[in-house]
Amino acid sequence: MKVVDVKNWFCRYAEVIQEKKSFLTELDSAIGDGDHGTNMARGWKEVQTQLKAFKGGLSECFLLVSRTLISHVGGASGPLYGTAFLRMSMVLKEKEHISVEDWKELLNAGCEGIGQRGGTSGGEKTMYDVWLAVTNEAQQETGDDERSLFSRLSEAARKKVEESKELKALKGRASYLGDRSIGHIDPGSESTALLFETLDQTMSQ
Ligand code: ADP
Ligand code: MG
Ligand code: MG
């Protein structure tokens, strides 16, 4: 995967977020404060604008996303996603191409960043659960076929969103609801699954 593919992925994700804005907000209205869709849409619209003029390399591209999300997404999700993209940007220093092996390291770094930032190690019904599922799935890929990797990641993410629906939220605003959070999809988990589904779709074209 090269920088042009990464740009396509991020630009397409920005569109997906616009399309899913009301759905994400609906999910957050049920167990949070109803702003995840607008938070994400604001941040990713700005990413899209910034990327139009962007001419840098892989590491800078992830850094641009990190900075933009930290400064434009209000709420918990901004710093969380911002940290993930920052850590990923650090792994990509000097790289012009992301191999399947690089993806393993990249996802490890992003996932670890979210876990540290959110103070979670999983099972607490947050986006971290989905990042961790995707990261673990990546380690299972033995070949160097990125198509197969992306399709695995996308499936693992969606599966985890469904599984974690039954969990009780122990972090973030949804935790205030206690048992009443059970049976609802976590909004940040949904937006994370959309990120990896969009990666798979963009790279299958
Ligand atoms: P806010 O909760 O501040 O309104 P958002 O609605 O944009 O922010 O994002 C909420 C999402 O952030 C949740 O669905 C969850 O996935 C994620 N989140 C919240 N707190 C944490 C945490 N401590 N660790 C990991 N993820 C978290
Ligand atoms: Mg919210
Ligand atoms: Mg909020």
Side-chain angles (χ1 to χ4, degrees):
M1 193 168 180
K2 298 197 168 77
V3 68
V4 55
D5 306 311
V6 171
K7 269 179 79 169
N8 286 340
W9 171 30
F10 292 158
C11 285
R12 179 63 199 136
Y13 184 61
E15 288 169 7
V16 168
I17 287 297
Q18 294 297 329
E19 290 159 17
K20 299 280 183 173
K21 183 171 148 177
S22 328
F23 177 55
L24 293 172
T25 285
E26 232 173 81
L27 295 178
D28 198 31
S29 302
I31 58 170
D33 57 354
D35 61 0
H36 190 59
T38 45
N39 285 344
M40 290 290 281
R42 191 186 319 109
W44 282 92
K45 182 145 193 59
E46 184 60 25
V47 168
Q48 205 175 26
T49 306
Q50 301 267 333
L51 279 179
K52 287 208 175 97
F54 177 79
K55 296 267 186 287
L58 275 176
S59 180
E60 291 95 337
C61 191
F62 278 77
L63 187 62
L64 178 151
V65 173
S66 167
R67 290 201 173 134
T68 310
L69 296 182
I70 289 173
S71 55
H72 287 82
V73 177
S77 57
L80 289 162
Y81 276 119
T83 305
F85 284 101
L86 174 67
R87 297 288 181 88
M88 290 162 109
S89 150
M90 284 152 66
V91 168
L92 291 172
K93 277 217 165 99
E94 318 291 324
K95 286 199 198 288
E96 286 176 15
H97 173 259
I98 313 175
S99 67
V100 168
E101 282 307 304
D102 293 332
W103 271 105
K104 298 179 184 176
E105 205 188 331
L106 203 59
L107 291 168
N108 264 326
C111 183
E112 191 184 79
I114 294 199
Q116 287 171 355
R117 179 86 212 189
T120 178
S121 52
E124 298 184 297
K125 197 182 178 103
T126 69
M127 62 168 74
Y128 177 81
D129 294 345
V130 180
W131 278 86
L132 185 62
V134 163
T135 302
N136 287 339
E137 187 66 33
Q139 318 306 315
Q140 307 299 314
E141 183 69 45
T142 48
D144 61 355
D145 179 356
E146 61 177 19
R147 287 275 187 98
S148 138
L149 172 71
F150 299 147
S151 116
R152 267 173 181 271
L153 301 186
S154 162
E155 279 171 31
R158 184 49 62 195
K159 190 163 158 247
K160 185 50 80 175
V161 169
E162 288 307 317
E163 276 173 18
S164 65
K165 204 171 151 178
E166 303 315 321
L167 292 177
K168 171 172 157 180
L170 297 171
K171 283 274 152 53
R173 287 177 195 278
S175 66
Y176 307 155
L177 288 185
D179 285 342
R180 281 184 292 140
S181 64
I182 297 173
H184 294 276
I185 290 178
D186 171 61
S189 297
E190 176 64 30
S191 60
T192 301
L194 291 171
L195 180 67
F196 292 102
E197 286 172 342
T198 306
L199 171 65
D200 184 35
Q201 284 155 12
T202 314
M203 294 303 284
S204 309
Q205 280 164 4

